[in-house]
Amino acid sequence: MKKERILITGGAGFLGSHLCDRFIQEGLHVIAMDNLITGDVSNIEHLFKHPDFEFYHHDVSTFVHVPGELKYILHFASPASPIDYLKIPIQTLKVGSLGIHNLLGLARVKKSRILIASTSEVYGDPLVHPQPEDYYGNVNPVGPRGVYDEAKRFQEAMTMAYHTYHNLDTRIVRIFNTYGPRMRLNDGRVLPAFIGQALRGEDLTVFGDGSQTRSFCYVADQVEGIFRLLMSDYSFPVNIGNPDEITIMQFAEEIIKLTGTKQKIISRPLPQDDPKQRQPDITKAKELLGWTPKVSRAEGLKITYDYFKSLPREVLFQRDYKNFEKYVR
Ligand code: UDP
């Protein structure tokens, strides 16, 4: 029997690579596409020997062509950390706008079901807490995060327009802070930042007074939620995240305990427009998909710490992405 084929953009990234693994396990033929600005082939190297895995080194902001049938498309290509989109703001805007247009066009031609990765950032610095899907958000379009937030908001609008006007089969997942193995140690996100600092013997940098909150979801739970959403028939946005909320100061203390570091917590200025609170309302995911997160922060952090510890020592000291110079001029 011919296998169903799925295209995963951002397939060499943190979430994209875990999705590649999942769909290989599900028995699909997986085509990963990535331009490798922030993604890394080491995340998918183990799949290259698999007969049902292909990799296209391509930037989805330019015309996308994939020969053959495509049952599903997952659009996960995008820088996704505040440091990344400060460094590559134009690419961030392009992948969320030109990129999604190309992929929606491809989905139309191939008659594919397309799921796009959106984000809790569409809620901006939220004035409603926790955040349900029908909250419209509080986003500053011209602030440092605007390039990401507005690209993702545009992406949702574009996807809904293709759904409404072209009858395209679409899904939208709003991803809240997710962590696990294969996060980039130098992507500036709080978890790799703290663990990297602990491993290098540096102090942990808490931005502001650390009273801002986040709710961290382990990657296996996130992938399960995305899988269930793809297989559902629901075309409006669905939050996937773990509602277990914590302040960043408490989080730093947890990392100190986990790693046993003797370093201390130091304060750094709070970046502009840093959301003060974030917690997903997951009622919809529970009701529609029968999904709830299963992995506690203690379990998930332990697995993630073990992964970071196992990396070659030089990775600990890499300050930029491997391909930064090549792509960003
Ligand atoms: N943060 C911090 N120290 C760091 C990196 C981040 O205190 O070294 C804070 C950041 O200001 C934010 C939270 O941790 O309040 C989460 O930041 P991250 O970049 O992981 O993602 P965000 O949820 O803001 O998109």
Side-chain angles (χ1 to χ4, degrees):
M1 208 182 76
K2 237 172 82 190
K3 293 206 164 191
E4 290 176 339
R5 290 155 52 91
I6 183 168
L7 170 67
I8 303 179
T9 76
F14 162 51
L15 272 177
S17 66
H18 284 284
L19 288 163
C20 289
D21 285 342
R22 174 64 186 258
F23 284 94
I24 286 281
Q25 271 168 30
E26 295 289 335
L28 275 80
H29 183 93
V30 173
I31 301 162
M33 190 175 277
D34 206 298
N35 67 358
L36 302 177
I37 300 191
T38 58
D40 196 319
V41 277
S42 66
N43 291 332
I44 46 171
E45 216 154 82
H46 59 288
L47 293 174
F48 276 81
K49 58 181 182 299
H50 202 289
D52 284 310
F53 181 76
E54 289 176 73
F55 177 66
Y56 285 25
H57 185 190
H58 181 70
D59 182 345
V60 297
S61 304
T62 64
F63 185 79
V64 179
H65 175 68
V66 176
E69 289 172 14
L70 283 177
K71 171 103 174 165
Y72 304 111
I73 298 174
L74 302 184
H75 182 38
F76 277 70
S78 176
S81 89
I83 294 273
D84 285 349
Y85 39 84
L86 277 178
K87 277 188 195 158
I88 42 175
I90 313 290
Q91 285 84 353
T92 305
L93 278 159
K94 280 170 76 178
V95 73
S97 53
L98 308 180
I100 190 63
H101 192 207
N102 291 330
L103 290 159
L104 289 164
L106 183 70
R108 257 188 98 193
V109 171
K110 303 280 182 188
K111 300 188 175 26
S112 322
R113 176 176 298 177
I114 179 168
L115 179 146
I116 65 144
S118 190
T119 165
S120 52
E121 282 286 321
V122 300
Y123 303 122
D125 188 2
L127 305 175
V128 167
H129 194 71
Q131 293 81 53
E133 288 85 349
D134 58 7
Y135 175 52
Y136 298 158
N138 176 37
V139 171
N140 174 5
V142 295
R145 288 173 178 255
V147 295
Y148 183 63
D149 301 7
E150 295 297 358
K152 290 290 186 181
R153 289 171 67 98
F154 173 84
Q155 193 174 276
E156 288 196 8
M158 192 73 158
T159 303
M160 283 315 296
Y162 267 69
H163 176 72
T164 308
Y165 299 108
H166 290 311
N167 269 322
L168 198 69
D169 195 12
T170 56
R171 307 285 180 272
I172 300 173
V173 57
R174 288 191 182 148
I175 298 170
F176 282 66
N177 293 68
T178 298
Y179 70 97
R182 302 186 194 154
M183 287 185 100
R184 232 175 53 235
L185 201 48
N186 59 5
D187 80 354
R189 288 182 164 277
V190 67
L191 184 143
F194 286 171
I195 292 186
Q197 287 161 346
L199 288 172
R200 288 189 298 269
E202 297 167 6
D203 291 335
L204 273 63
T205 52
V206 166
F207 297 166
D209 63 5
S211 64
Q212 69 274 33
T213 69
R214 294 294 184 273
S215 309
F216 296 97
C217 180
Y218 186 63
V219 63
D221 284 330
Q222 184 61 244
V223 165
E224 181 62 29
I226 291 166
F227 182 80
R228 289 188 190 203
L229 178 61
L230 180 69
M231 296 307 160
S232 78
D233 58 5
Y234 190 74
S235 288
F236 289 93
V238 178
N239 289 339
I240 299 287
N242 190 324
D244 187 4
E245 188 182 11
I246 183 175
T247 70
I248 295 301
M249 185 57 82
Q250 285 168 329
F251 191 58
E253 283 156 6
E254 278 191 9
I255 301 288
I256 286 179
K257 224 166 149 192
L258 172 77
T259 59
T261 176
K262 299 280 173 291
Q263 303 302 129
K264 54 185 191 308
I265 292 171
I266 53 172
S267 174
R268 287 280 173 274
L270 189 67
Q272 190 193 331
D273 298 336
D274 197 293
K276 283 180 271 310
Q277 51 182 1
R278 185 182 288 153
Q279 183 191 35
D281 178 332
I282 57 165
T283 312
K284 224 174 208 183
K286 274 186 192 157
E287 284 173 3
L288 288 169
L289 315 174
W291 175 87
T292 46
K294 301 273 183 281
V295 182
S296 70
R297 204 168 48 245
E299 285 172 272
L301 283 181
K302 168 134 191 10
I303 301 168
T304 310
Y305 178 48
D306 288 345
Y307 165 79
F308 282 131
K309 267 197 302 192
S310 74
L311 293 176
R313 210 173 147 67
E314 67 264 21
V315 176
L316 265 183
F317 294 92
Q318 251 167 32
R319 291 290 169 179
D320 234 322
Y321 0 110
K322 279 192 203 152
N323 290 308
F324 187 70
E325 295 302 329
K326 192 166 149 198
Y327 289 105
V328 182
R329 282 177 274 269

